[in-house]
Amino acid sequence: MGWLQLSIEVPKPDAEEIAAVLEDGGALSVTLADAADEPQLEPGPGETPLWSQVKISALFDADPESEALVGRLVDQLVREPRSGGACGPRVERIEDQVWERVWLDTFKPTRFGRRLWVCPHGQDPDDPESVAEAVVVALDPGLAFGTGHHPTTALCLEWLDGTALDGKTVLDYGCGSGILAIAALQLGAAQAIAVDHDPQALEATRDNALANGVADRLAIYGPDEVPELKVDVTIANILAGPLISLAPRLVESLRPGGALAVSGVLAEQVETIRAAYGERIELAPTRLREDWALICGTRR
């Protein structure tokens, strides 16, 4: 049957009000997205940040009654412009699709480093020459952040592929989908600890660990539940602010000689992060990809 999509771009202060208008007006779903290519990473606990310019999209059934409803909503939005002006509203028809097929068309098996692959469930590495030594993490896109396609996650996965993990205990702080902890276990780590403040991320990590057969070697905690730890490897792909505030805790949990990698850092934030860790970590050269960085080293 298809759908009608009403979309409008508005400044951040108006986004929640207009989203509520669309929800109350009968939209089947309302989504908010970046309207200006502005980076937005995982929020801190209790935060719901939005982009400075927000694209709001609302879906409706494509039937005569819904068409009339959408027309009335368009008239209302035009008559009541919000502060800063709005781009739109615009209405378009979207044909029905098999959405699982849509993401499968874009999410393909991807190699990180020499042997680590992230593949959708049911798919194998697409390089026949590397299949014999491939280490595979099976993962489908989900609600929690992390499939390996963001530059920071890719940097972390490549670092794990090049790090000696056999028999080691690994801490993944800010685990998102659990991709880094699961990759570490698949690469030979004996145990992993995954930590995140988002219950949805913890649930996704648990499900993905079960799907990859490593749940028995993975402990999952919220930040306030983590016991006293001593680990061999720590990896944290979060934000610069939390990385700075967590530096003493992350370093203290790492055994002398242990390896640390932190990412989620923009290139202009590198020196600040290096300063936060440099006193107790022997830092290696920073690794860069696009506008993002990974900072790694060994605990003194």
Side-chain angles (χ1 to χ4, degrees):
M1 179 180 66
W3 313 89
L4 292 177
Q5 177 175 273
L6 189 163
S7 59
I8 185 169
E9 296 180 9
V10 300
K12 175 179 177 178
D14 304 328
E16 292 187 5
E17 181 183 354
I18 292 181
V21 168
L22 294 170
E23 289 173 356
D24 296 342
L28 299 174
S29 69
V30 177
T31 58
L32 281 66
D34 180 15
D37 196 24
E38 178 182 350
Q40 178 71 70
L41 297 182
E42 181 182 3
E47 296 179 351
T48 310
L50 293 176
W51 305 271
S52 57
Q53 192 72 9
V54 182
K55 180 179 180 180
I56 304 174
S57 300
L59 283 181
F60 302 82
D61 286 325
D63 56 39
E65 182 178 349
S66 296
E67 288 181 6
L69 171 62
V70 169
R72 290 193 295 271
L73 285 169
V74 168
D75 289 343
Q76 179 181 350
L77 293 171
V78 170
R79 288 196 311 269
E80 302 176 7
R82 270 47 179 189
S83 63
C87 179
R90 298 180 298 276
V91 179
E92 59 185 320
R93 184 179 294 270
I94 300 176
E95 297 304 319
D96 204 1
Q97 302 180 63
V98 180
W99 295 104
E100 292 85 352
R101 186 72 256 163
V102 173
W103 71 252
L104 279 172
D105 288 341
T106 57
F107 182 34
K108 300 294 186 182
T110 307
R111 180 164 59 184
F112 300 92
R114 182 176 62 86
R115 59 192 176 124
L116 178 61
W117 287 79
V118 176
C119 301
H121 287 283
Q123 295 193 34
D124 297 318
D126 54 12
D127 179 0
E129 294 183 0
S130 67
V131 169
E133 63 173 359
V135 175
V136 175
V137 175
L139 191 74
D140 294 339
L143 294 175
F145 180 81
T147 61
H149 287 69
H150 191 275
T152 61
T153 312
L155 284 165
C156 290
L157 290 168
E158 290 172 1
W159 181 83
L160 284 170
D161 182 74
T163 300
L165 297 175
D166 286 351
K168 303 287 181 66
T169 299
V170 177
L171 171 62
D172 174 9
Y173 205 102
C175 59
S177 66
I179 185 171
L180 300 180
I182 294 167
L185 291 167
Q186 299 286 50
L187 287 164
Q191 294 180 308
I193 300 98
V195 180
D196 205 291
H197 65 79
D198 184 353
Q200 198 168 58
L202 300 181
E203 181 179 351
T205 295
R206 189 173 291 109
D207 290 345
N208 288 328
L210 285 167
N212 282 273
V214 298
D216 59 331
R217 294 186 285 139
L218 179 63
I220 302 171
Y221 299 104
D224 298 330
E225 305 167 342
V226 184
E228 291 294 322
L229 294 172
K230 287 295 181 183
V231 300
D232 305 297
V233 177
T234 293
I235 190 162
N237 183 23
I238 42 180
L239 296 174
L243 285 175
I244 293 170
S245 62
L246 287 167
R249 182 176 183 179
L250 295 181
V251 173
E252 186 59 34
S253 67
L254 192 61
R255 294 188 177 98
L260 176 134
V262 296
S263 193
V265 179
L266 289 165
E268 59 263 30
Q269 299 168 329
V270 165
E271 292 309 315
T272 303
I273 301 300
R274 290 182 70 91
Y277 287 86
E279 184 175 339
R280 300 178 68 185
I281 300 292
E282 184 69 36
L283 294 172
T286 299
R287 304 184 186 189
L288 296 171
R289 174 162 300 176
E290 298 176 19
D291 294 325
W292 300 94
L294 179 139
I295 298 161
C296 58
T298 305
R299 184 177 172 185
R300 293 186 173 94

